[in-house]
Amino acid sequence: MLYHLMNKISTHFGKLLFVLTIFVVLVFQGYWIYISFQNKKEEILERTRSEMIQLLVNNMLNEPILKQKLSKKNKSNKKEKIEVFISEPTKTMVNESFKQQNTAFYRDEKLDVLLYISMKSTLKKMLNKDAEITILYEGKKIKRIYPKNAKTEDKNTTAHVNSLLGLNTTYRIHIENMKSLVISEIKETIIFSVLYVLLFLVTIFILFKSLIFNQKLLKNKEIFTRNMTHELKIPISTILIAAEGLEKHDIINQPENAKKYAGMIQRAGRQLSQLVESILQHARSDHNTEKLLLTSINLAHLLEDVKENLSGIIHKKEAKISITNIDQNIHVKGNYEQLTQVFSNLIDNSLKYSANSPLVLISAEKTGNNVLIRIKDNGLGIPEKYTEDIFSPYFRIVNDDTHDIKGFGLGLSFVRKSLMNQGASIKIIRQKTEGTTMEIKIATDE
């Protein structure tokens, strides 16, 4: 009970659940990358601000006047506080910057240059990539930007840092290539997320294809079981009726009745044999792992043999099979028995799905190393939407014109698989007029 309920749910809501699952996973992964991006961005800005504070403090400590004031207060206390607040690598870097500039103290625009040079170097070491930055100074009555004439925005900019030069004077740093810096920092996260999404989508695709295939297979098997039951009932009923007649009648004194019932049994047995053979053909094509033995086959002789094998059906249907424009010297590379069954199936289909006086035209022409064989009939034709489905196992077109036609829907499935095993292919050529044209492409052996 539970199995049938789950199967019903998967059948009706499977596609919707797959789409919903994909949407949720994509949204989650996108949100995860967004949060990672924002967190890393804030981290870079905070670290930049921290390094800027240390640079500004180092700059002030190198000012002689401030040094004197600090020494008068408490030399020991000064040293202790400075050592705690300022890291040794920062001191070394700033001192090197001072040596390069041949000065110990920067004020006003000179401090902007110092911050610019020092912070670019610091950020490159910190991020392993060049950072494009802009120094923003804001005083009581003046605002400066370095490099001059640079355009900045409020986003991707650190918080204000007191410049220690006076009240209400602050510095900020704007990182122009923030996006590329953050992406380079979280590239592992992005790569992992992308690979995860790709793996997930491939898995979902496989599961979705499996779901569709299973649904189609269940439906086709149901159709096959129904058709098989219907097809087998007729010959079995015929055999039972004939056996009952033989049992009731005096077959010794009535030889004509015995002959009639024997003929009924023979025809029913032949029909059963054909049904079993069609099923076995499909089973063999599905499970045969051995490589077919391909030999050189005279195409014209092969088609004549097939025509002869179907002579009984051709005569009964009052059909005409015309083999035209086929060079008697054309040889194809294939398996004789398999090709015989292939052409028998195709011609038999043309006869079954044709109205009165069926006409089947078979032609062939060489194109390079291949031979194109066309089988054209004047039958009911195949709707364009079914041109691929008809090669699927158990599939049958059911409408007012074809519901009485016998078969399991295995013939064309066997034809395609058999031709593929022989390195050949088959397709339907769309016709503007009635009927169907099948085109087989097979290698020559010349």
Side-chain angles (χ1 to χ4, degrees):
M1 183 72 178
L2 181 61
Y3 171 78
H4 290 293
L5 178 62
M6 294 299 294
N7 185 46
K8 188 175 181 180
I9 292 174
S10 65
T11 301
H12 290 85
F13 302 103
K15 295 180 181 179
L16 179 63
L17 289 175
F18 275 126
V19 172
L20 182 62
T21 302
I22 292 173
F23 175 76
V24 170
V25 170
L26 291 178
V27 169
F28 174 78
Q29 289 298 309
Y31 179 74
W32 182 38
I33 292 177
Y34 173 78
I35 292 299
S36 299
F37 182 92
Q38 294 298 325
N39 289 340
K40 181 58 68 173
K41 173 182 172 181
E42 294 299 324
E43 178 187 335
I44 292 174
L45 289 174
E46 185 59 32
R47 289 170 66 184
T48 303
R49 182 177 182 274
S50 177
E51 292 294 333
M52 180 169 57
I53 290 173
Q54 293 187 28
L55 285 171
L56 289 171
V57 171
N58 276 329
N59 177 71
M60 295 303 297
L61 290 176
N62 281 275
E63 184 180 2
I65 298 174
L66 184 59
K67 281 186 176 181
Q68 292 176 8
K69 290 181 179 179
L70 289 173
S71 62
K72 288 180 181 179
K73 269 190 167 184
N74 192 333
K75 291 184 179 180
S76 60
N77 197 27
K78 177 199 72 171
K79 183 177 181 181
E80 181 182 351
K81 288 183 179 179
I82 291 171
E83 293 300 327
V84 171
F85 184 78
I86 303 171
S87 64
E88 204 56 45
T90 304
K91 280 185 177 182
T92 303
M93 183 211 39
V94 174
N95 289 332
E96 289 177 355
S97 298
F98 288 152
K99 289 177 182 179
Q100 292 174 2
Q101 297 298 325
N102 298 318
T103 180
F105 175 65
Y106 286 81
R107 182 179 292 278
D108 301 333
E109 290 87 350
K110 292 184 178 180
L111 184 55
D112 299 349
V113 178
L114 170 66
L115 282 176
Y116 182 81
I117 295 173
S118 301
M119 286 306 301
K120 278 187 69 73
S121 176
T122 301
L123 289 175
K124 184 174 182 179
K125 292 178 182 178
M126 186 171 70
L127 303 175
N128 295 318
K129 190 174 181 180
D130 287 324
E132 300 299 327
I133 64 173
T134 303
I135 306 299
L136 305 174
Y137 171 81
E138 296 180 9
K140 289 182 178 180
K141 298 181 180 180
I142 188 172
K143 291 183 180 181
R144 296 194 303 271
I145 296 179
Y146 185 86
K148 294 182 179 181
N149 300 323
K151 295 181 179 179
T152 61
E153 301 177 10
D154 289 337
K155 63 180 182 179
N156 305 335
T157 304
T158 64
H160 294 78
V161 175
N162 195 303
S163 68
L164 306 179
L165 294 174
L167 297 176
N168 299 323
T169 58
T170 60
Y171 273 102
R172 289 185 297 155
I173 293 181
H174 172 75
I175 303 177
E176 296 182 26
N177 59 333
M178 174 64 81
K179 184 180 292 186
S180 62
L181 292 176
V182 175
I183 290 176
S184 67
E185 286 290 296
I186 63 169
K187 59 180 179 295
E188 292 83 2
T189 301
I190 296 175
I191 292 172
F192 172 79
S193 182
V194 170
L195 291 177
Y196 171 80
V197 169
L198 288 176
L199 180 62
F200 173 77
L201 290 177
V202 170
T203 304
I204 286 293
F205 176 77
I206 293 173
L207 291 176
F208 181 76
K209 292 288 287 185
S210 178
L211 175 67
I212 297 299
F213 176 78
N214 288 332
Q215 289 178 354
K216 192 174 182 179
L217 185 62
L218 288 173
K219 182 179 178 181
N220 288 335
K221 282 188 175 181
E222 181 182 346
I223 295 173
F224 169 74
T225 303
R226 186 170 62 248
N227 290 339
M228 182 180 67
T229 304
H230 177 72
E231 295 287 344
L232 293 178
K233 275 183 178 180
I234 297 174
I236 291 174
S237 298
T238 303
I239 291 173
L240 290 175
I241 292 171
E244 185 179 354
L246 290 173
E247 184 180 13
K248 289 181 178 180
H249 291 82
D250 185 2
I251 60 175
I252 297 176
N253 297 323
Q254 297 177 326
E256 290 298 325
N257 286 335
K259 186 177 180 181
K260 180 181 72 173
Y261 290 125
M264 291 173 61
I265 293 174
Q266 186 180 32
R267 287 191 296 272
R270 191 181 298 113
Q271 188 176 356
L272 281 173
S273 177
Q274 290 175 351
L275 293 174
V276 171
E277 181 61 27
S278 66
I279 297 173
L280 290 177
Q281 279 183 2
H282 179 71
R284 283 195 295 265
S285 64
D286 268 347
H287 301 290
N288 185 18
T289 56
E290 296 181 3
K291 190 174 182 180
L292 287 175
L293 177 63
L294 305 182
T295 59
S296 178
I297 302 171
N298 186 289
L299 181 60
H301 293 169
L302 172 67
L303 293 174
E304 289 293 343
D305 290 344
V306 172
K307 182 178 178 181
E308 181 64 27
N309 294 339
L310 296 174
S311 58
I313 301 176
I314 295 172
H315 178 73
K316 183 179 178 180
K317 296 278 291 187
E318 297 181 355
K320 182 180 179 182
I321 309 296
S322 177
I323 302 174
T324 58
N325 300 326
I326 296 182
D327 191 336
Q328 295 294 317
N329 295 320
I330 291 181
H331 286 72
V332 297
K333 189 174 183 180
N335 182 275
Y336 183 84
E337 292 182 358
Q338 293 272 313
L339 285 180
T340 300
Q341 294 174 359
V342 165
F343 286 110
S344 296
N345 273 307
L346 293 175
I347 295 174
D348 184 55
N349 272 355
S350 294
L351 297 176
K352 282 196 299 185
Y353 290 94
S354 294
N356 297 329
S357 302
L359 175 62
V360 180
L361 303 177
I362 305 175
S363 61
E365 63 175 334
K366 287 183 64 177
T367 57
N369 295 325
N370 297 302
V371 176
L372 295 181
I373 307 168
R374 293 187 178 91
I375 302 175
K376 182 180 179 181
D377 61 48
N378 61 341
L380 302 174
I382 298 172
E384 189 173 3
K385 61 181 179 180
Y386 295 132
T387 53
E388 281 299 319
D389 293 333
I390 60 170
F391 294 105
S392 301
Y394 314 115
F395 180 83
R396 295 190 68 206
I397 300 174
V398 180
N399 54 45
D400 293 338
D401 297 323
T402 62
H403 70 282
D404 289 329
I405 298 174
K406 312 299 181 184
F408 293 150
L410 297 175
L412 290 179
S413 172
F414 163 77
V415 166
R416 170 171 278 186
K417 289 181 180 178
S418 176
L419 289 173
M420 287 176 62
N421 292 336
Q422 298 176 71
S425 62
I426 184 171
K427 67 179 181 180
I428 296 176
I429 299 178
R430 184 66 181 166
Q431 298 294 317
K432 295 181 180 180
T433 59
E434 65 178 6
T436 301
T437 301
M438 296 279 188
E439 183 180 84
I440 295 174
K441 184 178 181 181
I442 189 169
T444 62
D445 191 51
E446 298 177 3

